[in-house]
Amino acid sequence: MAAEIHSRPQSSRPVLLSKIEGHQDAVTAALLIPKEDGVITASEDRTIRVWLKRDSGQYWPSIYHTMASPCSIMAYHHDSRRIFVGQDNGAVMEFHVSEDFNKMNFIKTYPAHQNRVSAIIFSLATEWVISTGHDKCVSWMCTRSGNMLGQHFFTSWASCLQYDFDTQYAFVGDYSGQITLLKLEQNSCSVITTLKGHEGSIACLWWDPIQRLLFSGASDNSIIMWDIGGRKGRTLLLQGHHDRVQSLCYLQLTRQLVSCSSDGGIAVWNMDVSREEAPQWLESDSCQKCEQPFFWNLKQMWDTKTLGLRQHHCRKCGQAVCGKCSSKRSSYPVMGFEFQVRVCDSCYDSIKDEDRTSLATFHEGKHNISHMSMDVARGLMVTCGTDRVVKIWDMTPVVGCSLATGFSPH
């Protein structure tokens, strides 16, 4: 079922502790059980499994439960030991797990959606289960009665969800690349604002209620940090992945952001540094360096008897430039560009060697990662994906040992 890989050597890379194999289809969610050597997994093979680590070091399934429909997402509330499972058919099912994690009892089914459930959050304070789905809506239901309290519909699939437990604000990402901030009430909701910045569908969100920072990852391979609490609404762009960003986790104690992408990339971003906002791209009918016309500027092309040029943009200053005036490439980590991007010649000359020092570390997970979660208190991470494999990692060599005195998130 599972194998213990090796002991923990000293390194600056994530250490693979265990691999769990046994699912017959893609694993859509994997969650570490706080204060236990255990993992809960949900899969497209219609099973929910609880894996406990035995004395041999191997993980064996103590619970194996088959559902009526493929499992698309899962949430686990450790204090009450309640599991909420979203399915392809739109239903959310609630279970209660015994103290020894050897038995799981069905509680109730919530008819939350008409299509695949994409995200679930449980609020113990309000006894709400909040979910998003591919029926283009967010719904919130009462866990006491099982009744629907409210729904809000979007123009495209709702793909991910975060929730502020104190203010009852919900952040919903969708396939159009937009993030909507909603204030949820008992039987209604109001739209506070929408955030637009990604060029692809939103794949994951992470909300830090202390610093009031929202992180979003998308299919455009980028991450944006939205300063929700800041008066100026500052946004920071992070580009270092080469594929869709699938999962995020922000570590408050060390001010690091951990992100995973579908090509197996694992990145740890240092957010405890002064970063610069990427500029807005400027528009112009001619190159803002050499003043040569772009190809749509017919009047200047006729007047100067020249052929129009293709428009590009310098990633550092945002100016519209031609290819000749932006022939160089450079990384610029302080602005989030961890790999080389197009910059104009003058910006290239202004970038010093020390400006190119990376502010993130990149690691290879060696499997397609569709979901990641962390046990912050122990510095452990679990990843899963379409290869049906679940991997458990020791992240302390990368994020620092101070996490040992940390805390568990909601």
Side-chain angles (χ1 to χ4, degrees), residues 316 330-333 346-357:
K316 186 176 183 293
S330 176
S331 61
Y332 195 52
S346 57
C347 281
Y348 182 86
D349 293 338
S350 72
I351 299 173
K352 303 180 180 66
D353 287 341
E354 56 265 31
D355 294 335
R356 296 185 175 92
T357 303

Side-chain angles (χ1 to χ4, degrees), residues 32 44 67 100 133 149 158 169 187 215 242 306 328 371:
L32 292 156
E44 298 274 6
M67 310 283 282
D100 61 4
L149 296 174
Y169 284 173
N187 297 109
F215 297 89
H242 296 281
T306 57
K328 297 188 172 64
H371 183 267

Side-chain angles (χ1 to χ4, degrees), residues 337-351:
F337 300 116
E338 288 288 338
F339 45 70
Q340 293 195 342
V341 292
R342 180 186 295 272
V343 291
C344 66
D345 292 353
S346 57
C347 281
Y348 182 86
D349 293 338
S350 72
I351 299 173

Side-chain angles (χ1 to χ4, degrees), residues 208-252:
D208 173 34
I210 305 300
Q211 294 178 260
R212 304 193 70 74
L213 301 174
L214 179 71
F215 297 89
S216 57
S219 62
D220 59 10
N221 308 348
S222 70
I223 299 164
I224 296 178
M225 186 202 84
W226 311 83
D227 188 357
I228 303 298
R231 292 181 181 177
K232 295 182 179 179
R234 189 172 66 129
T235 61
L236 294 177
L237 178 68
L238 303 175
Q239 290 191 332
H241 286 288
H242 296 281
D243 210 334
R244 179 185 178 94
V245 181
Q246 298 276 56
S247 262
L248 297 166
C249 180
Y250 180 64
L251 312 177
Q252 292 174 352

Side-chain angles (χ1 to χ4, degrees), residues 39-324:
V39 182
I40 308 171
T41 58
S43 170
E44 298 274 6
D45 66 10
R46 299 188 298 121
T47 66
I48 301 295
R49 309 187 195 194
V50 177
W51 308 79
L52 297 180
K53 191 175 183 180
R54 306 304 185 189
D55 292 339
S56 64
Q58 293 186 326
Y59 284 83
W60 292 92
S62 62
I63 295 174
Y64 183 111
H65 183 85
T66 303
M67 310 283 282
S69 178
C71 307
S72 56
I73 195 66
M74 175 178 59
Y76 171 63
H77 188 265
H78 183 62
D79 291 342
S80 61
R81 296 195 307 282
R82 293 156 84 175
I83 298 176
F84 298 87
V85 183
Q87 299 175 87
D88 253 8
N89 62 12
V92 174
M93 297 185 73
E94 180 185 352
F95 299 90
H96 183 267
V97 187
S98 62
E99 284 191 44
D100 61 4
F101 294 97
N102 282 307
K103 189 177 181 182
M104 190 169 78
N105 293 317
F106 168 74
I107 304 298
K108 62 170 66 78
T109 300
Y110 303 89
H113 298 277
Q114 300 298 315
N115 207 326
R116 182 180 176 93
V117 183
S118 56
I120 300 173
I121 287 178
F122 169 62
S123 170
L124 182 65
T126 55
E127 285 289 345
W128 291 355
V129 57
I130 311 159
S131 58
T132 55
H134 287 184
D135 56 355
K136 304 180 182 180
C137 87
V138 57
S139 68
W140 56 108
M141 307 190 71
C142 176
T143 54
R144 293 190 182 96
S145 65
N147 294 332
M148 178 75 71
L149 296 174
Q151 286 185 306
H152 180 81
F153 286 86
F154 306 92
T155 57
S156 59
W157 285 359
S159 51
C160 48
L161 171 70
Q162 283 287 279
Y163 182 68
D164 186 87
F165 292 86
D166 293 330
T167 62
Q168 296 179 192
Y169 284 173
F171 300 89
V172 181
D174 64 39
Y175 268 69
S176 74
Q178 184 171 285
I179 303 165
T180 304
L181 172 56
L182 299 167
K183 167 69 172 175
L184 302 186
E185 306 287 356
Q186 185 69 24
N187 297 109
S188 65
C189 73
S190 52
V191 176
I192 305 301
T193 189
T194 55
L195 305 174
K196 299 177 181 179
H198 284 289
E199 297 178 0
S201 58
I202 310 297
C204 53
L205 294 170
W206 184 272
W207 169 245
D208 173 34
I210 305 300
Q211 294 178 260
R212 304 193 70 74
L213 301 174
L214 179 71
F215 297 89
S216 57
S219 62
D220 59 10
N221 308 348
S222 70
I223 299 164
I224 296 178
M225 186 202 84
W226 311 83
D227 188 357
I228 303 298
R231 292 181 181 177
K232 295 182 179 179
R234 189 172 66 129
T235 61
L236 294 177
L237 178 68
L238 303 175
Q239 290 191 332
H241 286 288
H242 296 281
D243 210 334
R244 179 185 178 94
V245 181
Q246 298 276 56
S247 262
L248 297 166
C249 180
Y250 180 64
L251 312 177
Q252 292 174 352
L253 286 176
T254 57
R255 301 202 176 197
Q256 292 166 298
L257 178 71
V258 181
S259 58
C260 295
S261 59
S262 56
D263 63 355
I266 300 170
V268 180
W269 306 82
N270 179 9
M271 303 304 296
D272 196 24
V273 293
S274 178
R275 289 181 176 269
E276 297 177 16
E277 286 189 71
Q280 294 290 322
W281 285 4
L282 303 177
E283 295 302 324
S284 176
D285 290 330
S286 56
C287 175
Q288 294 180 297
K289 295 295 182 182
C290 69
E291 299 183 352
Q292 289 293 304
F294 293 131
F295 63 82
W296 60 82
N297 189 349
L298 300 178
K299 183 179 185 304
Q300 188 178 347
M301 287 165 55
W302 177 264
D303 292 344
T304 59
K305 302 296 187 290
T306 57
L307 287 173
L309 304 174
R310 184 181 173 190
Q311 177 184 260
H312 300 282
H313 284 93
C314 171
R315 300 309 192 266
K316 186 176 183 293
C317 69
Q319 287 191 317
V321 290
C322 67
K324 186 177 180 181

Side-chain angles (χ1 to χ4, degrees), residues 31 48 197 236 361 383:
L31 303 170
I48 301 295
L236 294 177
T361 59
T383 59

